[in-house]
Amino acid sequence: MDIYASDEEKAEAIKQWWRENGRSVIAGIILGLAGIFGFRYWMNYQQVQTQQAAVIYQQTAVQLSQAESADAERTVETLMQDYPSSVYAVFAALEMAESKLNDGQADAAVNYLSWVRDEAKLQSHRELARLRLARVLFSQDKLDEALSLIAEADSQAFSSLFAELKGDINLAQGDTIAAKAAYQQALAQLTPGEPRQSLLEIKLDDVAKADEA
């Protein structure tokens, strides 16, 4: 705008600008306010969902501690169906899987672990479920399925545990060469002095003796 224009000219220029851009400005303000209020609504909704999931999870913990298995199953199903994105659904499914294993119901444990592997948002939770699921399949003598799960693993945090389990499965299949390589890999991924170091060294010694026999 010309700084030397008269007040009337300035006023007319402002009116003209508003006529040309007023709708866009108003629309932008409305969209901005809608975004702010929408974000706040979403955050409040998420907070409420998290709080509700936490309460239901506490119910699960109490029911499991009191051996109320049927009630615990219904509560966990509620978390898995209504709050699938919640970390509490993951925790509940993992605890239910452990409970089922303790009761000798491996197939039921597989279902809960599979759900966590497929639905958990955090990779660490998915990989933990994968590891436990592979162990259950190994205990059921489903060796090829367990190895397939291990091959799909993508976790640095659990890499040593996956390698050790692979060695155990290879050994059960009679493949001592593969078992030795897996145990060596598991050992190499440990920090010196970790408690599992001695166990892995024992397993390596046993594999070596089996090769000599």
Side-chain angles (χ1 to χ4, degrees):
M1 184 181 295
D2 187 350
I3 61 174
Y4 298 108
S6 67
D7 291 341
E8 291 182 359
E9 290 172 332
K10 291 179 181 178
E12 183 58 34
I14 291 172
K15 290 178 182 179
Q16 181 63 30
W17 182 90
W18 185 254
R19 282 193 294 269
E20 295 175 354
N21 301 284
R23 290 184 179 179
S24 298
V25 171
I26 292 173
I29 292 173
I30 292 173
L31 288 174
L33 290 174
I36 291 172
F37 287 115
F39 177 74
R40 288 179 178 175
Y41 171 80
W42 174 249
M43 292 299 293
N44 289 335
Y45 172 78
Q46 289 292 93
Q47 184 176 4
V48 170
Q49 287 287 97
T50 299
Q51 291 172 346
Q52 291 175 342
V55 171
I56 297 173
Y57 171 71
Q58 289 298 324
Q59 294 176 358
T60 302
V62 171
Q63 290 162 346
L64 286 175
S65 67
Q66 297 178 352
E68 299 172 353
S69 181
D71 290 337
E73 284 185 38
R74 286 191 289 270
T75 307
V76 174
E77 287 296 326
T78 297
L79 280 170
M80 292 165 60
Q81 292 177 9
D82 297 345
Y83 307 89
S85 299
S86 169
V87 69
Y88 294 106
V90 171
F91 293 159
L94 289 173
E95 291 182 20
M96 181 57 75
E98 183 177 358
S99 176
K100 290 299 182 182
L101 279 176
N102 292 336
D103 292 340
Q105 301 179 47
D107 288 338
V110 166
N111 291 334
Y112 287 110
L113 292 172
S114 296
W115 183 88
V116 176
R117 178 200 59 185
D118 296 338
E119 301 296 334
K121 301 305 178 185
L122 296 179
Q123 183 188 22
S124 58
H125 292 157
R126 294 195 300 270
E127 291 302 291
L128 175 60
R130 187 187 305 278
L131 177 63
R132 293 183 179 181
L133 181 56
R135 286 173 175 168
V136 174
L137 293 174
F138 177 36
S139 71
Q140 294 179 310
D141 204 31
K142 298 178 180 179
L143 306 186
D144 290 336
E145 291 183 43
L147 285 176
S148 294
L149 275 178
I150 294 172
E152 296 170 359
D154 183 24
S155 170
Q156 189 64 33
F158 299 111
S159 58
S160 179
L161 290 167
F162 275 116
E164 180 182 0
L165 180 57
K166 182 176 185 297
D168 293 341
I169 297 172
N170 291 149
L171 190 59
Q173 292 175 322
D175 190 344
T176 56
I177 295 177
K180 181 179 179 181
Y183 290 145
Q184 287 174 334
Q185 180 184 357
L187 193 58
Q189 293 168 338
L190 285 181
T191 300
E194 284 192 39
R196 289 177 51 242
Q197 181 176 347
S198 298
L199 175 61
L200 285 167
E201 290 172 346
I202 291 172
K203 289 185 176 183
L204 274 171
D205 289 340
D206 288 344
V207 169
K209 291 176 182 177
D211 284 337
E212 295 173 358

